[in-house]
Amino acid sequence: MRDQHQIELTTEEKGMLGGDQGPAVQRAIEIVVALGTIYGAESLVPVASVQVAGVSYKNLGHAGLEFLCQWAAQGARVRVPTTLNPAGMDLHRWRTLGFPESFARQQQAVLDAYASMGIALTCTCTPYLVSSPPEFGEHVAWSESSAVSFANSVLGARTNREGGPSALAAAICGRAAAYGLHLDRHRLANYRVDVHCPLEQVSDWGALGYLVGTRVRDGIPCFHLHAPSCSASLRAEGSCLVPDPWLSTGDSLIDGLKTLGAAMAATGAVALYHIAGLTPEASVADMLASDAQRLTIGDLAPGYAALSATSGLHVDLVTIGCPHASAHEIAEIAHATAGRHLRAALWITTAEQTRERASADVETIERAGGHVITDTCMLVAPVEQLGFRVMATNSAKMAFYTPSHSGLQVCFGTLQQCIEAACSGVWSGPSPGVAPAPRSSTG
Ligand code: F3S
């Protein structure tokens, strides 16, 4: 039997909608049903976990904080494991890092509201690195675009890109509307992308993501990697499903895949990609639609050039960890900074649990003068209030958004170039063979 929304609801769901479980749950399922109605869902699906974006007070503002407090006051409580996206500051070290007290107070009020709903204050865009990742085929409701891409593409879970309020609604009623990427028929690729250049650095995956995201927009690309690309080619030999230890240890392939997804979600609106022979769905079936368009990428230089400033710029902030750094990335940075002295600020953003796991490498980085910062990211923190003017990063997503979000100039390049910029205070220029080009004006 269908209700007036044409969505088939279970008896329990009808009860929620009728207010049987209180006004907070009623409001939550009303949001989920309204979305399902707009997108033509036929039913709701239970979700196994939720990741909520809209945590930084910089983005939420007072109106957002009030919205959260009102829902909490109605008795809202989450019913599935729920984590948060990065907040606007490091929850433990904000004072030493120079975050304004007034901002910290408002940010804490946001976190208190989430905590009162039973949400873990795990503020990270890589929840899959710090807690049990979703299983293949499992329905979840995540909202951070890079995490959505990773969950769908690398883990084979199912989620649309939820907004902050709709993710919170899903956590409170435990349901999402079954449309879009929750359904098999919407998970086929509509672009075949042949890549003929090697992907050796994390920034290479980001440059690739920039190039593909700007072309496919909200499409679903299926990559065919033709050049030997270190760990990707090794993985292609074996099982494609992701075992837990792989995620918790981290490796360069995981770092590359999270970076690729983040870049395509930023420059386009890609929420799912496949890599033939590697990602779970593309390892068991041909995920290409019969009318798929074709793209060929033979050179990453245009991606680097579009995001890179010219050489010789004085750099006052180098940031790594967008998406949040894995333990593997922190180890690489420790190796590159060991025994050196930094002239520019080096901020590595990560999850608190990853920082704890990598404590020996964190000490090495701190001895060189760097900071390993948790719970936040440079895009949602008020970095413009901290006096920084020029940022270097190896993240295409960070390089793409920062000029419009924070007003800083950005240099984009390899991890090695970023560390050298941190040591010298000067950006050495674009990657070898890349001519400087005008910056992208999109944000
Ligand atoms: Fe994460 Fe912030 Fe980048 S949320 S993906 S570190 S822009």
Side-chain angles (χ1 to χ4, degrees), residues 85-86 125 144 146 321-324 377 379 397-398:
N85 221 26
C125 50
E144 154 57 31
S146 67
C322 170
H324 272 176
C377 95
L379 219 54
K397 175 175 178 178
M398 186 61 68

Side-chain angles (χ1 to χ4, degrees), residues 81-99:
T82 303
T83 59
L84 296 175
N85 221 26
M89 64 185 193
D90 184 317
L91 306 188
H92 310 271
R93 303 162 196 89
W94 61 268
R95 215 183 281 277
T96 1
L97 293 165
F99 283 82

